[in-house]
Amino acid sequence: MEQKSVRESVVSSWTNDVIPSLSGLVAIPALSPAFDAEWAKSGHLAAAVGHVREWIAGRDLPGATLEVVQLEDRTPLLLVDVPATPGAADKGTVLMYGHLDKQPPVGGWSEGLGPWTPVIRDGRLYGRGSVDDGYSGYAATTAIEAVHAAGGEHARIVLLLETGEESGSPDLPAYVEHLADRIGDVSLVVCLDAGGSDYERLWLVTSLRGMLHLDVTVQLLGSAQHSGVASGVVASSFRILRHLIERLEDSATGELLLDELKVDVPANRLAELKAVSQDFPEALSKAFPLVEGGRVITEDALELMLNNAWRPTLSVIGADGFPKPADAGNVLRESTTLTLSFRLPPTADAEKALEAVKKALTTDVPYGAKVTFSDNPQAENGWNAPTESPWLTTALRTVSDEVFGRPHRATGMGGSIPFMGLLSRKFPAAQFLVTGACGADSNIHVPDEWLHLDYAQQVTEAVAHILDAHARG
């Protein structure tokens, strides 16, 4: 495609059309279902879907059909079906993905900013959901329009915008199954829910960690007792649970100890991380707001990247059975509950990992204490991108040179996008482009979330070229 026409189309659409509508989307408090039990009653998810649907319906997408799909007791989903251009009818389906649900607002936004108040300042659009992931549907649509404006080609495109990603996408498998015939044979997946370490080049995510999430409770007493009377006779439930967790993790190093949670890092992924660690030696060590005097686990940039992308980790993210410090009496509590959140290597088997964790926590429990687990623990496999096809390699080199003027970089992401693993299993022959406009300082999930507007336009431009390259093979 002619580069100038693509860029002009993208810039014009973003400036005149995308930014005003995206700002309106930011203003909708469309909390993900995990954070709004009354989501169906509040109607915010439906409002977000309706807002984006109305905008896309007004765009120039020849032959496109739009439908809000909602299965019983499930969050709504927007499906946009765009026919192939004449020269690409035999290229399968491009499945483009994003989400419209949001994380909670949380407090601490800077003066003049707020989660539901879209503000443009210094080339950034502030507000919850601006970069994670409200912009995605706009970027996908604008990229398709740019292909048409430049006389390019694209295969049939199905755009799915869900509303449960921030809750772990619990409804998405049902929708993929329900829409299987309409989605068709997917040859390329484009996910716009990612990013990288800077805003100077195209970033690809080539792996995602899986996860385990479960509550574990240890109980020894039938009822709480005076700590002065019972301690030294009856063990603390917290001490027992702490001892059990030591079977899973070396508390001195953070290394997880169960073989079922570990994998060998593939050579191509190791090479990618080495390249990024050399280009961005402080990408992770300087990414987080440590307390004065605090430091990261190691100063070795490659080790940090391996830890974050390919090694298992454990975080205790919740607790129950404890009174607040101001209410704590001299009591030996009857039980302790901790919420354990594991991040698993991309190729680890999550179900086997879960069984290994349960076995370690329930075998030879000290003092005969009772160990129980939450009823519905999460066990999600990660994802490792398939081998890159020659057409995609060539296209990435082209857009890196013409759009960004710098080589692209690929890396693993420590978080999870459950949809990618689902799609890789369902469409094993598909190529994957997992990218996006999120940077290390975009503040997703925390106060002052923001979208880099110029970079989002460049990502949109790159996607347009890759759609054309896919159609031409």
Side-chain angles (χ1 to χ4, degrees), residues 39 45-46 49 68-71 74-78 161-164 171 175:
W39 62 268
L45 292 178
V49 170
V68 177
V69 184
Q70 186 162 13
L71 299 175
R74 296 190 183 276
T75 52
L77 175 145
L78 178 59
L161 298 174
E162 67 153 322
T163 56
D171 297 335
Y175 278 117

Side-chain angles (χ1 to χ4, degrees), residues 139-365:
T141 303
T142 301
I144 299 169
E145 287 184 302
V147 172
H148 287 270
E153 301 279 356
H154 66 73
R156 173 176 175 256
I157 296 172
V158 173
L159 170 61
L160 295 183
L161 298 174
E162 67 153 322
T163 56
E165 193 275 343
E166 301 292 3
S167 303
S169 298
D171 297 335
L172 205 51
Y175 278 117
V176 171
E177 185 65 29
H178 176 71
L179 299 169
D181 291 341
R182 296 174 62 180
I183 292 173
D185 184 19
V186 174
S187 55
L188 173 64
V189 175
V190 178
C191 172
L192 295 171
D193 191 23
S197 295
D198 69 1
Y199 304 100
E200 304 296 327
R201 72 201 72 231
L202 185 67
W203 285 90
L204 307 183
V205 171
T206 53
S207 67
L208 298 159
R209 286 195 292 183
M211 69 174 296
L212 298 180
H213 186 97
L214 72 159
D215 298 337
V216 56
T217 299
V218 167
Q219 181 176 4
L220 188 55
L221 286 166
S223 61
Q225 300 295 312
H226 188 296
S227 61
V229 173
S231 62
V233 178
V234 179
S236 161
S237 59
F238 179 79
R239 178 166 71 84
I240 297 171
L241 185 46
R242 183 178 62 183
H243 173 79
L244 293 174
I245 290 176
E246 287 284 353
R247 299 176 178 180
L248 309 177
E249 177 195 49
D250 182 336
S251 61
T253 64
E255 179 186 358
L256 294 195
L257 306 176
L258 303 182
D259 289 341
E260 291 83 353
L261 278 62
K262 302 177 183 180
V263 302
D264 293 327
V265 182
N268 60 337
R269 301 298 173 235
L270 181 59
E272 290 171 352
L273 294 181
K274 283 182 177 178
V276 174
S277 68
Q278 291 167 359
D279 289 345
F280 299 90
E282 297 183 340
L284 290 176
S285 62
K286 303 297 185 183
F288 306 104
L290 302 177
V291 298
E292 185 177 353
R295 58 183 183 272
V296 293
I297 291 173
T298 175
E299 294 300 324
D300 187 310
L302 178 58
E303 286 298 304
L304 287 179
M305 290 182 179
L306 287 169
N307 286 346
N308 189 248
W310 278 91
R311 289 173 182 155
T313 57
L314 169 61
S315 301
V316 177
I317 62 172
D320 199 6
F322 296 87
K324 294 181 179 179
D327 301 326
N330 296 323
V331 174
L332 191 64
R333 299 169 298 101
E334 63 267 32
S335 67
T336 295
T337 298
L338 297 180
T339 300
L340 307 183
S341 179
F342 297 85
R343 293 293 176 169
L344 301 177
T347 55
D349 186 314
E351 289 294 339
K352 289 183 179 179
L354 176 60
E355 291 307 309
V357 167
K358 287 185 172 181
K359 182 179 179 180
L361 294 175
T362 54
T363 301
D364 296 328
V365 179

